[in-house]
Amino acid sequence: ATLTIAIPSFATLWRAACGTRPAPSDSGIVYGSIRDARNGDPIGDATVLLTWTDLSLVNMRRYSQKAYRNETRADGGGEYGFCGVPMDAGLRLQATVAGGASGTIDMGLTKLRILRRDLTIGPTDTASSVPRGYIEGIILNEAGVAQEGATIVLDDVPQMRTGADGRFRLINVLPGTRQIEVLAIGVRPQLVVVDVIAGQSASVSATLQKVTTLAAVQIIGSRWQQRMLEEFAARRKRGLGQYRDSTVIGAKPTLAAALASFSSVDIRHGPGGLLTLQLPGPDGGRCSANIFIDGIRSDSFELASLLPQDIGLIEAYPRRSQVPGNLWVLNNCGAIAIWTKRVMP
């Protein structure tokens, strides 16, 4: 016998969930349920916030960026829904109640026009008596082999790296839906969403995919390092920058805490633990710092792969006029140079 199974069309689902107005051709539906991370009970009247950023080209010369937000409330059974959500934007979702919240979850880009995301809410007060949870996981490369040294990033928890067996364990995690970002050199960042239940351990796994990288550069001999140290000594003698060495950096729990020790650096936390570093701008505002890692122009993704114990030295030059020639770029912002222990022992 042949059994035929059918599902409703998108137009039918749209009418059922969103009313009689026509469905936009480029929009969809996001829905789900909200539950308590302590006992799994539905949470009615929770506030659910959906945000996204629209990037458009203006006059073929510059980009315009606009941030949007949409807010709704869950019903008595903890169910929520959004209609008319753009499917070509990076969506971010969070649920909150008085004294509690889920993590902020990146839903990414997708061709699906109906997306479900259930969220669990835990306490936001770090002094809460609600038991913490644990996250255990394993990270593999695309060949299925354990990925050693991958950086695990989770808000409010110190960063750590996977061991030789590709495993990691995060402790003292606030209950609720949380998002982990996995970073490693030469692979695409991976986001993993996990529901952390109070007093329980949650298991996750991820497989990292390679990206095209340049051939490795090996630094041999002490003459090159000696020249680097001499150049740094000359920069420090001029007294234009601010400096921290490994004796200070290594005592900090996170890279963000180490960078926060520079009075001129304003740190902004982005999705998945990515850091945006702001310095005083020429017009009295703030500008995005030019970041260098081991003398090479870098970005927030490469910055997120570093731990305090990896770093031998950090130099900060808040003003454009203070930046030395080896860190000079063609814009009006200052620079931050991070030297790992491979280069600056």
Side-chain angles (χ1 to χ4, degrees):
T2 299
L3 178 64
T4 301
I5 300 175
I7 62 171
S9 67
F10 177 77
T12 300
L13 292 171
W14 176 274
R15 286 194 298 271
C18 307
T20 57
R21 65 188 177 97
S25 61
D26 61 348
S27 300
I29 300 170
V30 173
Y31 76 106
S33 63
I34 311 298
R35 295 186 176 274
D36 194 318
R38 295 171 296 180
N39 49 31
D41 292 342
I43 298 179
D45 207 35
T47 298
V48 187
L49 178 64
L50 182 70
T51 60
W52 67 91
T53 301
D54 180 43
L55 190 65
S56 59
L57 186 62
V58 180
N59 298 328
M60 301 300 293
R61 293 183 179 181
R62 62 183 180 87
Y63 284 97
S64 173
Q65 181 173 290
K66 293 183 179 180
Y68 295 90
R69 57 179 286 152
N70 199 346
E71 187 175 296
T72 189
R73 286 188 178 276
D75 62 18
E79 306 292 332
Y80 77 93
F82 292 96
C83 293
V85 175
M87 294 293 98
D88 58 352
L91 305 175
R92 306 190 74 200
L93 191 67
Q94 184 183 36
T96 62
V97 294
S102 71
T104 300
I105 305 303
D106 291 281
M107 301 187 68
L109 300 176
T110 177
K111 295 181 180 180
L112 297 176
R113 299 189 70 183
I114 300 179
L115 298 173
R116 176 168 188 146
R117 170 55 69 191
D118 298 334
L119 298 171
T120 58
I121 290 181
T124 53
D125 184 3
T126 56
S128 171
S129 60
V130 176
R132 300 292 183 95
Y134 309 86
I135 301 176
E136 297 178 316
I138 182 169
I139 308 300
L140 307 174
N141 61 26
E142 59 186 359
V145 179
Q147 177 75 47
E148 181 180 4
T151 302
I152 309 300
V153 180
L154 175 63
D155 292 343
D156 303 322
V157 175
Q159 296 178 12
M160 68 172 305
R161 287 189 171 169
T162 55
D165 58 357
R167 296 187 178 276
F168 68 92
R169 188 170 190 264
L170 301 175
I171 62 174
N172 294 325
V173 180
L174 283 172
T177 301
R178 305 295 173 204
Q179 178 173 278
I180 295 173
E181 185 160 11
V182 185
L183 305 167
I185 295 174
V187 300
R188 294 184 179 90
Q190 178 93 350
L191 297 178
V192 182
V193 178
V194 56
D195 290 323
V196 180
I197 306 302
Q200 298 183 25
S201 178
S203 298
V204 300
S205 63
T207 300
L208 303 181
Q209 301 295 324
K210 280 186 178 181
V211 295
T212 303
T213 57
L214 299 176
V217 176
Q218 184 177 7
I219 300 169
I220 302 175
S222 60
R223 181 178 300 176
W224 186 87
Q225 290 181 338
Q226 182 62 35
R227 179 170 62 84
M228 296 294 293
L229 291 170
E230 290 173 354
E231 290 178 355
F232 166 67
R235 293 195 297 272
R236 189 166 188 172
K237 186 175 181 180
R238 294 176 61 193
L240 297 178
Q242 303 172 27
Y243 314 96
R244 303 286 188 274
D245 64 19
S246 60
T247 61
V248 176
I249 301 166
K252 302 295 183 180
T254 64
L255 178 59
L259 291 166
S261 65
F262 291 90
S263 59
S264 57
V265 179
D266 181 16
I267 301 174
R268 301 183 182 180
H269 295 266
L274 294 181
L275 303 178
T276 300
L277 308 183
Q278 302 279 318
L279 292 173
D283 56 356
R286 309 292 290 185
C287 59
S288 295
N290 298 297
I291 301 172
F292 292 82
I293 298 178
D294 290 344
I296 305 299
R297 185 80 181 276
S298 304
D299 55 25
S300 296
F301 286 101
E302 294 175 340
L303 192 67
S305 67
L306 297 177
L307 297 177
Q309 56 264 36
D310 299 328
I311 300 171
L313 177 70
I314 300 178
E315 304 176 62
Y317 298 91
R319 301 288 182 181
R320 175 67 187 86
S321 59
Q322 300 171 325
V323 177
N326 63 319
L327 304 177
W328 192 90
V329 292
L330 192 61
N331 62 33
N332 290 323
C333 203
I336 295 175
I338 298 176
W339 304 92
T340 68
K341 291 179 179 178
R342 295 191 303 270
V343 174
M344 198 72 75

